[in-house]
Amino acid sequence: EKHNLFTGVSMSAKVAALVSNVNNERANPKAKGGKCKQLIFCDLLGMHKKIKLALTQFANIPADKIKIVNAVEIDDAGLMQEVQDGFNAEADENRYEIIIANKKAEVGINLQKGSQAVHHLTTGWTPDSLQQRDGRVARQGNYVDSIAIYHYHANGTFDEYKQQLVSVKSDWIMDLLRGTGERVSIEGGLSKEDMETLASFV
């Protein structure tokens, strides 16, 4: 970018679906001043700039309206506050319409003012992680009446397996919290084969 050199980007099916959904949301902006504020969570650090490039090329979003939030790009609290203020700002004062982040943005930042969509390009390891990510926008102070939440899974890949693991965790955690019985049966837990499969994927 510094030398005005622009390269193309190839997109996987997941990134193509993400771009399509981002475009669909942008066709119906809900924030004040005709802005469409969206969050994209991806745990793969190396994908962040690729996603940004795909959005600039295929969703026609100006690069300066897209902010990446991870430990490399945002290394102090002052920068995090600037991102929050820039995203939550309204109309012509708004600086960022898209935030691409990993777990760095799970806590300690509020991005709810006018946000209308959360995209989970990857799945967190725990149900709490997903709740925290959704909670960046689904919280008091957001005047948007409904928020779209997207999950992206490629069929027959680790995406499905990981989502299944998180769902199992969520089920037995809720049973435990409800206290509906003397015992909590954890069905579908990790067998030795599951653990080996998980380790090989990682």
Side-chain angles (χ1 to χ4, degrees):
E1 289 178 354
K2 290 178 182 177
H3 298 286
N4 292 319
L5 298 175
F6 300 100
T7 59
V9 59
S10 60
M11 293 193 296
S12 66
K14 283 173 65 173
V15 175
L18 168 70
V19 170
S20 176
N21 287 329
V22 166
N23 275 327
N24 289 339
E25 290 293 331
R26 293 184 76 227
N28 182 30
K30 298 180 179 180
K32 294 174 182 176
K35 303 295 181 181
C36 179
K37 301 180 184 181
Q38 304 181 64
L39 270 68
I40 300 168
F41 283 101
C42 178
D43 293 316
L44 306 174
L45 198 65
M47 286 290 295
H48 288 183
K49 289 187 177 179
K50 183 173 183 177
I51 294 167
K52 180 176 179 177
L53 188 57
L55 291 175
T56 58
Q57 288 190 3
F58 300 108
N60 296 317
I61 301 173
D64 62 354
K65 287 292 187 179
I66 302 171
K67 189 67 176 177
I68 295 175
V69 175
N70 56 44
V72 176
E73 302 284 335
I74 307 295
D75 56 4
D76 69 56
L79 290 174
M80 188 70 97
Q81 185 65 47
E82 189 275 333
V83 171
Q84 177 176 297
D85 293 344
F87 186 82
N88 285 327
E90 300 282 21
D92 292 340
E93 300 297 318
N94 173 266
R95 293 193 296 279
Y96 310 118
E97 294 182 30
I98 302 283
I99 301 289
I100 301 168
N102 59 1
K103 64 182 180 180
K104 177 83 173 176
E106 280 186 12
V107 295
I109 185 169
N110 296 325
L111 302 166
Q112 76 272 31
K113 201 168 183 182
S115 297
Q116 68 184 65
V118 179
H119 304 265
H120 297 282
L121 199 63
T122 57
T123 302
W125 284 103
T126 65
D128 183 59
S129 174
L130 287 175
Q131 289 177 352
Q132 289 285 359
R133 293 178 180 198
D134 291 341
R136 295 311 90 209
V137 301
R139 62 192 302 122
Q140 187 174 4
N142 192 349
Y143 53 80
V144 174
D145 57 358
S146 65
I147 298 165
I149 298 176
Y150 298 90
H151 294 269
Y152 300 86
H153 303 140
N155 292 334
T157 66
F158 184 54
D159 294 333
E160 289 185 315
Y161 188 74
K162 191 175 179 186
Q163 182 64 45
Q164 182 182 1
L165 292 180
V166 172
S167 296
V168 168
K169 287 181 186 178
S170 181
D171 290 343
W172 71 258
I173 289 171
M174 289 308 297
D175 286 343
L176 183 64
L177 291 175
R178 287 190 196 104
T180 53
E182 294 180 3
R183 296 183 179 182
V184 175
S185 175
I186 305 175
E187 297 182 1
L190 288 179
S191 66
K192 181 180 177 183
E193 292 76 17
D194 286 334
M195 292 180 187
E196 290 173 350
T197 301
L198 180 59
S200 67
F201 269 121
V202 171

